[in-house]
Amino acid sequence: MNRWFDKLPLIGEKIPGKIILSFFMFILAIMMLVVFRTIDRVFCSLAMLFSFIGDIALNHNREHNKQSKKDFVLGGIAFIVAHIFYCITYYQKIRINGYLTFNEGSKYAIIILIVSMQNKNYDDSIFFFGILYLWITGINYITIFSYSYSAKSIESIAAFGGLLFLASDVIIGMEKFLNLNSKLARELVWWFYPI
């Protein structure tokens, strides 16, 4: 999906399409905030702001292979903050609606997370950062799945969005820690993440 933005007139040649796409996602979050004006939209907008900052750190070089460990860690920190804001968003929605925090949805999320964290071949220099990231994102996914299970409405699609975000993170982890080098996997990251 990001390759379409690489071809935008004027800016596509100067700014990587990943950053342009992420910027448009941030603008969409702001538009949703302006239209709905709810506390959850404030937190979602903050989450998308930090996701955008993370995307700048991770993708400011056009070549994915030129990403330094510093870029990876800085981008990861921004995404950790984004996940915390998303977690706050869904926790607020759980609390406001009087839903249970721990339910069948959160159990499904825990199972999915356990399965996705099975490989332990991490680069030692950023091992603890990877573990921290997994814990924070894990708490976020559990909260999203819990809300989705309780909502039983169109908003339950949040679990699907969370699952796609997790799939995107898993692919990035496999690229970084397991040396996965696949054009299809790289393409899927930029389809799963925006959706």
Side-chain angles (χ1 to χ4, degrees):
M1 180 182 294
N2 61 292
R3 287 184 286 141
W4 297 340
F5 295 91
D6 282 329
K7 297 175 183 168
L8 284 178
L10 302 175
I11 60 172
E13 295 174 9
K14 296 179 173 89
I15 302 170
K18 296 169 185 175
I19 293 175
I20 296 168
L21 174 56
S22 183
F23 175 73
F24 285 137
M25 291 165 57
F26 172 58
I27 294 301
L28 177 61
I30 295 297
M31 289 169 52
M32 300 280 284
L33 171 61
V34 169
V35 170
F36 293 106
R37 297 182 187 198
T38 58
I39 191 69
D40 58 302
R41 290 292 164 193
V42 171
F43 287 119
C44 277
S45 296
L46 288 169
M48 198 53 235
L49 170 63
F50 279 93
S51 293
F52 176 54
I53 291 168
D55 283 328
I56 291 171
L58 292 171
N59 300 295
H60 62 91
N61 287 322
R62 282 206 174 266
E63 294 295 321
H64 178 68
N65 298 341
K66 292 188 178 180
Q67 184 183 85
S68 69
K69 282 187 181 180
K70 180 182 174 187
D71 293 339
F72 185 76
V73 170
L74 289 174
I77 289 169
F79 273 101
I80 284 173
V81 174
H83 281 290
I84 290 169
F85 279 123
Y86 281 126
C87 188
I88 291 169
T89 298
Y90 284 97
Y91 179 74
Q92 286 288 327
K93 291 177 80 68
I94 288 169
R95 191 182 57 76
I96 288 167
N97 288 295
Y99 298 150
L100 292 174
T101 303
F102 191 74
N103 58 26
E104 290 297 312
S106 52
K107 291 176 191 173
Y108 297 143
I110 290 168
I111 291 168
I112 291 167
L113 285 168
I114 289 170
V115 169
S116 68
M117 293 185 208
Q118 286 308 299
N119 196 300
K120 295 173 180 60
N121 296 327
Y122 298 118
D123 178 336
D124 289 337
S125 64
I126 53 177
F127 174 79
F128 292 108
F129 178 74
I131 295 298
L132 173 67
Y133 186 86
L134 287 173
W135 274 98
I136 303 246
T137 58
I139 291 167
N140 180 32
Y141 295 127
I142 291 166
T143 307
I144 292 171
F145 273 67
S146 175
Y147 173 76
S148 294
Y149 180 82
S150 294
K152 293 183 177 37
S153 69
I154 189 65
E155 290 189 36
S156 294
I157 200 165
F160 180 67
L163 194 58
L164 290 178
F165 206 146
L166 175 63
S168 171
D169 280 349
V170 167
I171 292 170
I172 292 169
M174 290 171 66
E175 288 173 336
K176 196 68 178 174
F177 301 117
L178 302 176
N179 298 318
L180 173 68
N181 188 7
S182 163
K183 283 187 174 184
L184 175 60
R186 183 90 304 258
E187 186 75 20
L188 287 176
V189 165
W190 282 93
W191 280 95
F192 291 160
Y193 166 47
I195 293 170

